Amino acid sequence: MEMGLRTVQGSVTSAYPTWHDVEVCVELARRSGAKAVLGVGAGSAIDLAKTVSSILNHHGKVDLVLAPATLGASMASMNAHSLLLSQEEEALLPPEFASSRSRNGFSSADATVVLDGGAMAVPNLNTSSPRKSVATVVDAACASLAICLDAAHGLPADDEHISNLIVITMENSLAALSYNGKCHDKKEAEMANGHAISAAVHAGQLLSSASGSSGTRRSIPLALASSLLPRYFPHGHILTFFASMMPALCKTLSSDTAAKGALQAVSALVTGGNNIEELIDWADRTCSEAKIPCMASLAEGTPDVSSMMGKLDANGALLNCEDARSDLVEEILHRSLSR
């Protein structure tokens, strides 16, 4: 009993929420007559809360409140979609695909998101992190930049909303990175955290608009994470995984004529000029200075690009969504694994 409210508690039983976790929480909520769902914690708790509320909301209005406690959760809280671990597919899938038992109706609820940087678990910029359970400021900043690069590549020419999101995300990512190794007091650490949270929040909105549904192309970082994380990178944090492909996205997309204009615009924000080679050099240098690990170091066993691409193709076919060209994605994988 808290503040006169009766509560029942559900939780995630593994690194990612499963359909079993959802069923347990939905049953608890129905038995208690829950009128609201509160998601508190890491990204897995946020995705669990979003899924539970979407099922309950299909049968009657419930409120959804999200209180992210990590940078990854901040990104997840702004993404209208959620991902569950499918043990059958060894992939992260939308709820309706996550289990043969997921036949419930889903009606997304509008969420109230409570962002409190002081209450979040954000490792100090000046200390090393194993990057397994909690993402760092530089992880979030480089991950957000990777999402921006992909969004700029797939951006419709007249989409002002997405353009604005890219600019805001990049500005906050760059501001967060400017503190790397230079946080000398609590105030500077709070400034770095604030920029990283803002970058993650706006990057989450970019991912929400690039989920592969409603005729949109699925984000390359999102497609790779959804398809590959559980089987090939089971111990890697999703933000570190995103961050590890940032230089490869720069280099690979630079060879795509259709992406030239978008990359020049990104380069203008990052380096002050429109030279794409300078952007590529900057991406390599930034990840090196931020000690972003090579994707291969996050893998369990020896990565095999061919089997990974097969897994990605099967995942896209299951979800019936549009992904980026296979040759581009394969090159990004090769470059990320060999960086």
Side-chain angles (χ1 to χ4, degrees), residues 165-185:
L165 281 178
I166 290 172
V167 171
I168 295 170
T169 306
M170 293 198 67
E171 288 176 344
N172 279 283
S173 298
L174 295 172
L177 287 170
S178 71
Y179 288 94
N180 187 28
K182 301 174 184 176
C183 283
H184 303 299
D185 55 39

mmCIF file of all heavy atoms in Angstrom, residues 165-185:
data_model
loop_
_atom_site.group_PDB
_atom_site.id
_atom_site.type_symbol
_atom_site.label_atom_id
_atom_site.label_comp_id
_atom_site.label_asym_id
_atom_site.label_seq_id
_atom_site.Cartn_x
_atom_site.Cartn_y
_atom_site.Cartn_z
ATOM 1 N N LEU A 165 13.973 16.134 -35.428
ATOM 2 C CA LEU A 165 14.391 15.140 -34.449
ATOM 3 C C LEU A 165 15.866 14.769 -34.626
ATOM 4 O O LEU A 165 16.600 14.616 -33.648
ATOM 5 C CB LEU A 165 13.535 13.875 -34.568
ATOM 6 C CG LEU A 165 12.146 13.883 -33.936
ATOM 7 C CD1 LEU A 165 11.434 12.566 -34.207
ATOM 8 C CD2 LEU A 165 12.242 14.114 -32.423
ATOM 9 N N ILE A 166 16.293 14.627 -35.877
ATOM 10 C CA ILE A 166 17.689 14.288 -36.153
ATOM 11 C C ILE A 166 18.619 15.376 -35.627
ATOM 12 O O ILE A 166 19.627 15.098 -34.967
ATOM 13 C CB ILE A 166 17.906 14.074 -37.668
ATOM 14 C CG1 ILE A 166 17.202 12.784 -38.124
ATOM 15 C CG2 ILE A 166 19.398 14.000 -38.005
ATOM 16 C CD1 ILE A 166 17.203 12.582 -39.633
ATOM 17 N N VAL A 167 18.277 16.626 -35.910
ATOM 18 C CA VAL A 167 19.120 17.741 -35.471
ATOM 19 C C VAL A 167 19.209 17.791 -33.943
ATOM 20 O O VAL A 167 20.300 17.914 -33.369
ATOM 21 C CB VAL A 167 18.583 19.081 -36.020
ATOM 22 C CG1 VAL A 167 19.321 20.261 -35.383
ATOM 23 C CG2 VAL A 167 18.725 19.135 -37.533
ATOM 24 N N ILE A 168 18.067 17.674 -33.267
ATOM 25 C CA ILE A 168 18.051 17.734 -31.795
ATOM 26 C C ILE A 168 18.840 16.563 -31.204
ATOM 27 O O ILE A 168 19.615 16.726 -30.248
ATOM 28 C CB ILE A 168 16.607 17.721 -31.267
ATOM 29 C CG1 ILE A 168 15.873 18.991 -31.702
ATOM 30 C CG2 ILE A 168 16.587 17.608 -29.739
ATOM 31 C CD1 ILE A 168 14.376 18.953 -31.443
ATOM 32 N N THR A 169 18.647 15.373 -31.770
ATOM 33 C CA THR A 169 19.357 14.188 -31.274
ATOM 34 C C THR A 169 20.861 14.341 -31.445
ATOM 35 O O THR A 169 21.643 14.051 -30.533
ATOM 36 C CB THR A 169 18.887 12.924 -32.010
ATOM 37 O OG1 THR A 169 17.470 12.811 -31.908
ATOM 38 C CG2 THR A 169 19.519 11.675 -31.424
ATOM 39 N N MET A 170 21.257 14.817 -32.619
ATOM 40 C CA MET A 170 22.691 14.964 -32.883
ATOM 41 C C MET A 170 23.307 16.033 -31.996
ATOM 42 O O MET A 170 24.408 15.856 -31.457
ATOM 43 C CB MET A 170 22.912 15.291 -34.361
ATOM 44 C CG MET A 170 22.547 14.160 -35.290
ATOM 45 S SD MET A 170 23.255 14.340 -36.921
ATOM 46 C CE MET A 170 24.978 14.137 -36.571
ATOM 47 N N GLU A 171 22.635 17.157 -31.822
ATOM 48 C CA GLU A 171 23.171 18.227 -30.978
ATOM 49 C C GLU A 171 23.391 17.752 -29.550
ATOM 50 O O GLU A 171 24.424 18.046 -28.939
ATOM 51 C CB GLU A 171 22.232 19.433 -31.010
ATOM 52 C CG GLU A 171 22.261 20.191 -32.335
ATOM 53 C CD GLU A 171 21.258 21.330 -32.387
ATOM 54 O OE1 GLU A 171 20.336 21.360 -31.537
ATOM 55 O OE2 GLU A 171 21.390 22.185 -33.290
ATOM 56 N N ASN A 172 22.447 17.007 -29.014
ATOM 57 C CA ASN A 172 22.579 16.508 -27.648
ATOM 58 C C ASN A 172 23.625 15.398 -27.544
ATOM 59 O O ASN A 172 24.346 15.312 -26.545
ATOM 60 C CB ASN A 172 21.228 16.025 -27.129
ATOM 61 C CG ASN A 172 20.361 17.159 -26.624
ATOM 62 O OD1 ASN A 172 20.564 17.685 -25.532
ATOM 63 N ND2 ASN A 172 19.390 17.570 -27.437
ATOM 64 N N SER A 173 23.721 14.561 -28.576
ATOM 65 C CA SER A 173 24.749 13.517 -28.582
ATOM 66 C C SER A 173 26.136 14.136 -28.575
ATOM 67 O O SER A 173 27.023 13.719 -27.813
ATOM 68 C CB SER A 173 24.590 12.618 -29.816
ATOM 69 O OG SER A 173 23.348 11.948 -29.813
ATOM 70 N N LEU A 174 26.339 15.140 -29.433
ATOM 71 C CA LEU A 174 27.639 15.795 -29.513
ATOM 72 C C LEU A 174 27.970 16.526 -28.209
ATOM 73 O O LEU A 174 29.119 16.532 -27.756
ATOM 74 C CB LEU A 174 27.665 16.765 -30.698
ATOM 75 C CG LEU A 174 27.532 16.118 -32.086
ATOM 76 C CD1 LEU A 174 27.362 17.186 -33.159
ATOM 77 C CD2 LEU A 174 28.732 15.242 -32.394
ATOM 78 N N ALA A 175 26.953 17.147 -27.617
ATOM 79 C CA ALA A 175 27.164 17.843 -26.344
ATOM 80 C C ALA A 175 27.563 16.861 -25.251
ATOM 81 O O ALA A 175 28.459 17.132 -24.445
ATOM 82 C CB ALA A 175 25.899 18.603 -25.945
ATOM 83 N N ALA A 176 26.909 15.688 -25.225
ATOM 84 C CA ALA A 176 27.257 14.668 -24.223
ATOM 85 C C ALA A 176 28.686 14.184 -24.424
ATOM 86 O O ALA A 176 29.451 14.032 -23.460
ATOM 87 C CB ALA A 176 26.279 13.502 -24.310
ATOM 88 N N LEU A 177 29.075 13.961 -25.680
ATOM 89 C CA LEU A 177 30.428 13.471 -25.971
ATOM 90 C C LEU A 177 31.499 14.505 -25.623
ATOM 91 O O LEU A 177 32.641 14.144 -25.335
ATOM 92 C CB LEU A 177 30.545 13.087 -27.450
ATOM 93 C CG LEU A 177 29.831 11.797 -27.870
ATOM 94 C CD1 LEU A 177 29.822 11.659 -29.385
ATOM 95 C CD2 LEU A 177 30.502 10.580 -27.233
ATOM 96 N N SER A 178 31.133 15.779 -25.658
ATOM 97 C CA SER A 178 32.115 16.832 -25.369
ATOM 98 C C SER A 178 32.616 16.755 -23.928
ATOM 99 O O SER A 178 33.660 17.321 -23.598
ATOM 100 C CB SER A 178 31.515 18.216 -25.639
ATOM 101 O OG SER A 178 30.527 18.544 -24.666
ATOM 102 N N TYR A 179 31.872 16.056 -23.065
ATOM 103 C CA TYR A 179 32.285 15.916 -21.667
ATOM 104 C C TYR A 179 33.120 14.666 -21.424
ATOM 105 O O TYR A 179 33.557 14.428 -20.296
ATOM 106 C CB TYR A 179 31.055 15.859 -20.753
ATOM 107 C CG TYR A 179 30.338 17.181 -20.603
ATOM 108 C CD1 TYR A 179 29.266 17.498 -21.418
ATOM 109 C CD2 TYR A 179 30.733 18.106 -19.635
ATOM 110 C CE1 TYR A 179 28.595 18.714 -21.284
ATOM 111 C CE2 TYR A 179 30.076 19.315 -19.486
ATOM 112 C CZ TYR A 179 29.006 19.610 -20.322
ATOM 113 O OH TYR A 179 28.347 20.804 -20.180
ATOM 114 N N ASN A 180 33.326 13.847 -22.464
ATOM 115 C CA ASN A 180 34.024 12.581 -22.275
ATOM 116 C C ASN A 180 35.427 12.805 -21.711
ATOM 117 O O ASN A 180 36.269 13.454 -22.329
ATOM 118 C CB ASN A 180 34.123 11.838 -23.614
ATOM 119 C CG ASN A 180 34.686 10.440 -23.449
ATOM 120 O OD1 ASN A 180 34.540 9.825 -22.397
ATOM 121 N ND2 ASN A 180 35.345 9.940 -24.487
ATOM 122 N N GLY A 181 35.682 12.281 -20.520
ATOM 123 C CA GLY A 181 36.972 12.446 -19.871
ATOM 124 C C GLY A 181 37.205 13.815 -19.281
ATOM 125 O O GLY A 181 38.298 14.126 -18.817
ATOM 126 N N LYS A 182 36.167 14.667 -19.301
ATOM 127 C CA LYS A 182 36.350 16.055 -18.862
ATOM 128 C C LYS A 182 35.364 16.462 -17.776
ATOM 129 O O LYS A 182 35.139 17.648 -17.547
ATOM 130 C CB LYS A 182 36.202 17.001 -20.054
ATOM 131 C CG LYS A 182 37.197 16.737 -21.179
ATOM 132 C CD LYS A 182 36.907 17.597 -22.395
ATOM 133 C CE LYS A 182 37.843 17.253 -23.546
ATOM 134 N NZ LYS A 182 37.517 18.022 -24.774
ATOM 135 N N CYS A 183 34.736 15.492 -17.142
ATOM 136 C CA CYS A 183 33.804 15.803 -16.060
ATOM 137 C C CYS A 183 34.591 15.967 -14.758
ATOM 138 O O CYS A 183 35.054 14.989 -14.178
ATOM 139 C CB CYS A 183 32.762 14.692 -15.908
ATOM 140 S SG CYS A 183 31.492 14.751 -17.163
ATOM 141 N N HIS A 184 34.735 17.220 -14.319
ATOM 142 C CA HIS A 184 35.562 17.499 -13.155
ATOM 143 C C HIS A 184 34.757 17.710 -11.883
ATOM 144 O O HIS A 184 35.313 17.783 -10.799
ATOM 145 C CB HIS A 184 36.431 18.723 -13.425
ATOM 146 C CG HIS A 184 37.291 18.579 -14.639
ATOM 147 N ND1 HIS A 184 38.244 17.596 -14.749
ATOM 148 C CD2 HIS A 184 37.319 19.274 -15.806
ATOM 149 C CE1 HIS A 184 38.853 17.692 -15.942
ATOM 150 N NE2 HIS A 184 38.300 18.701 -16.587
ATOM 151 N N ASP A 185 33.444 17.845 -12.031
ATOM 152 C CA ASP A 185 32.622 18.012 -10.830
ATOM 153 C C ASP A 185 31.217 17.484 -11.100
ATOM 154 O O ASP A 185 30.884 17.067 -12.217
ATOM 155 C CB ASP A 185 32.567 19.483 -10.386
ATOM 156 C CG ASP A 185 32.098 20.420 -11.495
ATOM 157 O OD1 ASP A 185 31.182 20.032 -12.264
ATOM 158 O OD2 ASP A 185 32.640 21.533 -11.611
#
